[in-house]
Amino acid sequence: MSQQDLLSNTVLNLQESATLKMSKMARELKAQGHDVISLSIGEPDFDTPAFINEAAKQALDEGYTHYTPVPGLLELREAVCTKLKRDNGLTFEPTNIVVSNGAKQTIYNLCQAMINPGDEVIIFTPYWVSYIEIVKLAGGVPVLVAADVDQDYKVTPAQVAAAITDKTKFILYSSPSNPTGSVYTKKELEALAQVIGPHEHVHIVSDEIYEHIVFDGVHESIAQFESVRDRTIVVNGMSKGFAMTGWRLGYMAAPKFIAAACTKIQGQVTSGATAFGQKAAATALLADPKATQDMMRTFLGRREFVIGQLKEIEGLKLSVPEGAFYIFPDCSNFFGKSYKGQVIKDSNDLAASILNNVHLALVAGAAFGAPNCMRISYAASQEQLADACNRLKEYFGSMV
Ligand SMILES: Cc1ncc(COP(=O)(O)O)c(C=O)c1O
């Protein structure tokens, strides 16, 4: 019997995370002695602000080393409610909130709690890599609604209306978006709410994890609109805005029956998130936003720099991202051209060729449902970004 035979069909059918795979390949090349720059990773390069670390240390000393209630410490769920009111104008109670081991688990819980085999989930495309696999793990059928660079990667209400069927369970998207950095405006969300509103069987899962990294305009939540308010699940977390990826803390604000269903699942799977981490998260959410805003301003400076550099590469099609820390150029003008005799057919070829030849790790757009594109993360130092942009200019400049 082969090892494969010992594994489940579930895991055999599961795609490895493309972003994690690219980071691994970059690490391997580095270990071989190459000077590799990785712009493939989806995490801030800052350390967690010191006052948050201090809150965790204090919580440890105070004995927060035991199981917490499955949906999270009441103190943290209250802090989440305060944050949602303060920043988003949304009214929730602690019984609407479930804290999990990262927003990734939040979305996993939601899919397990809501999807029956064959149910459809409309996913705005380009999408975050894990959406598709998490939906499929629950037996759901992803229905992709796509927008390209000419639409600034934002779908229209008409596209969404056309995709809704009797089987649609929910609509899933992130704004600000990973991988495109696009941010839906209040007006755009209102127009989406208008077409979704009349479909009473359709919920919305609004992933707002990049909320604190918005450069142009302000972050808006679709949950503010009456027509969809009771059917929107807001997903958020500590990873991106607070530079807390390794803490594994995310949360949802959901209708109570959905929060209770997710709590039931979590109770059998993880029992909840780490106790002292939850205490620190409550401190972070209630604190003065200065630390978060400082990081945002640094990201903004980097966006300006990298966009300026990329504009010098003739043939790249760019949409200037309003948020997150990614740029998602359309590279299709280069497909069919060659680099050092190798013909580049698609974004997978391009990512591999850039990594192997100029030792720069990016992620091929195919992983995000956008095979014409490449994702560049600018969560890296100014020196690395300057070096990476030079390598890209040299690479594209040498294609024939
Ligand atoms: C759009 C989006 N949602 C959710 C997550 C998951 O975040 P975490 O599980 O670290 O809270 C990520 C992380 O990359 C993301 O990009």
Side-chain angles (χ1 to χ4, degrees):
M1 192 182 272
S2 76
Q3 287 182 341
Q4 293 269 309
D5 293 329
L6 294 168
L7 297 173
S8 69
N9 292 337
T10 305
V11 79
L12 292 176
N13 290 329
L14 192 67
Q15 292 293 321
E16 188 182 349
S17 162
T19 47
L20 298 182
K21 188 170 158 190
M22 204 63 193
S23 306
K24 198 172 121 203
M25 278 164 66
R27 269 199 307 276
E28 283 166 5
L29 263 185
K30 219 178 216 162
Q32 291 166 20
H34 295 291
D35 170 24
V36 179
I37 302 177
S38 180
L39 300 186
S40 62
I41 197 89
E43 72 171 332
D45 53 319
F46 307 111
D47 288 331
T48 304
F51 76 93
I52 303 175
N53 293 343
E54 287 308 319
K57 290 179 205 168
Q58 192 180 330
L60 277 169
D61 289 341
E62 286 171 0
Y64 281 87
T65 56
H66 299 270
Y67 290 131
T68 70
V70 173
L73 288 170
L74 180 60
E75 182 185 334
L76 174 54
R77 285 181 289 138
E78 282 172 348
V80 169
C81 294
T82 303
K83 177 253 169 276
L84 290 166
K85 188 84 198 163
R86 182 193 65 203
D87 300 348
N88 314 104
L90 303 175
T91 305
F92 286 102
E93 295 171 8
T95 41
N96 296 112
I97 312 299
V98 182
V99 176
S100 301
N101 294 93
K104 196 176 248 182
Q105 195 205 352
T106 300
I107 296 164
Y108 181 83
N109 286 347
L110 274 167
C111 289
Q112 292 293 325
M114 295 184 70
I115 294 173
N116 281 316
D119 284 348
E120 294 174 359
V121 175
I122 294 175
I123 299 177
F124 294 0
T125 304
Y127 47 73
W128 177 46
V129 277
S130 296
Y131 288 158
I132 299 287
E133 298 307 312
I134 295 176
V135 165
K136 284 204 235 154
L137 276 175
V141 179
V143 175
L144 306 184
V145 175
D148 65 16
V149 65
D150 299 328
Q151 269 175 250
D152 278 331
Y153 300 114
K154 292 196 244 185
V155 305
T156 63
Q159 286 181 285
V160 177
I164 294 175
T165 71
D166 291 347
K167 289 190 183 157
T168 308
K169 206 57 184 261
F170 56 82
I171 293 166
L172 173 58
Y173 67 91
S174 62
S175 175
S177 158
N178 175 4
T180 68
S182 293
V183 177
Y184 284 85
T185 63
K186 183 169 179 175
K187 224 168 132 197
E188 287 163 345
L189 290 172
E190 187 172 20
L192 288 172
Q194 244 163 32
V195 301
I196 301 165
H199 300 278
E200 288 181 3
H201 66 292
V202 177
H203 279 71
I204 301 172
V205 176
S206 169
D207 180 348
E208 304 181 14
I209 195 153
Y210 292 93
E211 159 176 25
H212 296 296
I213 311 170
V214 173
F215 315 121
D216 309 311
V218 286
H219 169 77
E220 300 282 350
S221 175
I222 199 167
Q224 71 189 283
F225 300 109
E226 180 78 44
S227 62
V228 293
R229 182 172 300 152
D230 297 339
R231 285 182 281 127
T232 299
I233 299 128
V234 176
V235 173
N236 208 325
M238 309 308 295
S239 286
K240 316 290 174 172
F242 297 89
M244 291 174 70
T245 46
W247 296 64
R248 311 308 305 125
L249 283 164
Y251 59 84
M252 73 172 84
K256 288 181 185 173
F257 75 100
I258 294 176
C262 290
T263 302
K264 188 174 170 188
I265 287 171
Q266 184 157 291
Q268 294 293 16
V269 182
T270 62
S271 301
T274 314
F276 52 89
Q278 291 188 48
K279 279 286 281 185
T283 301
L285 288 176
L286 298 178
D288 181 298
K290 185 177 174 320
T292 304
Q293 287 169 355
D294 284 350
M295 290 190 266
M296 186 275 285
R297 273 190 285 272
T298 305
F299 281 130
L300 172 58
R302 293 170 180 177
R303 178 195 73 170
E304 301 298 86
F305 173 75
V306 179
I307 283 285
Q309 295 285 302
L310 295 181
K311 278 187 178 159
E312 292 178 19
I313 301 175
E314 214 177 307
L316 277 190
K317 286 188 255 171
L318 289 167
S319 153
V320 178
E322 298 98 4
F325 39 73
Y326 307 106
I327 298 175
F328 203 58
D330 179 310
C331 308
S332 54
N333 281 334
F334 295 93
F335 299 162
K337 294 193 175 192
S338 317
Y339 183 86
K340 287 192 180 159
Q342 186 208 342
V343 180
I344 303 299
K345 291 188 302 296
D346 55 26
S347 65
N348 287 323
D349 275 2
L350 190 59
S353 174
I354 290 175
L355 179 62
N356 291 327
N357 289 293
V358 296
H359 300 146
L360 174 63
L362 308 175
V363 188
F368 309 97
N372 285 344
C373 304
M374 297 285 289
R375 191 188 76 173
I376 302 173
S377 161
Y378 51 92
S381 71
Q382 179 61 32
E383 297 72 52
Q384 285 176 315
L385 293 175
D387 193 348
C389 289
N390 285 337
R391 292 184 195 198
L392 274 182
K393 283 193 241 174
E394 182 199 314
Y395 180 89
F396 284 113
S398 309
M399 285 185 97
V400 287

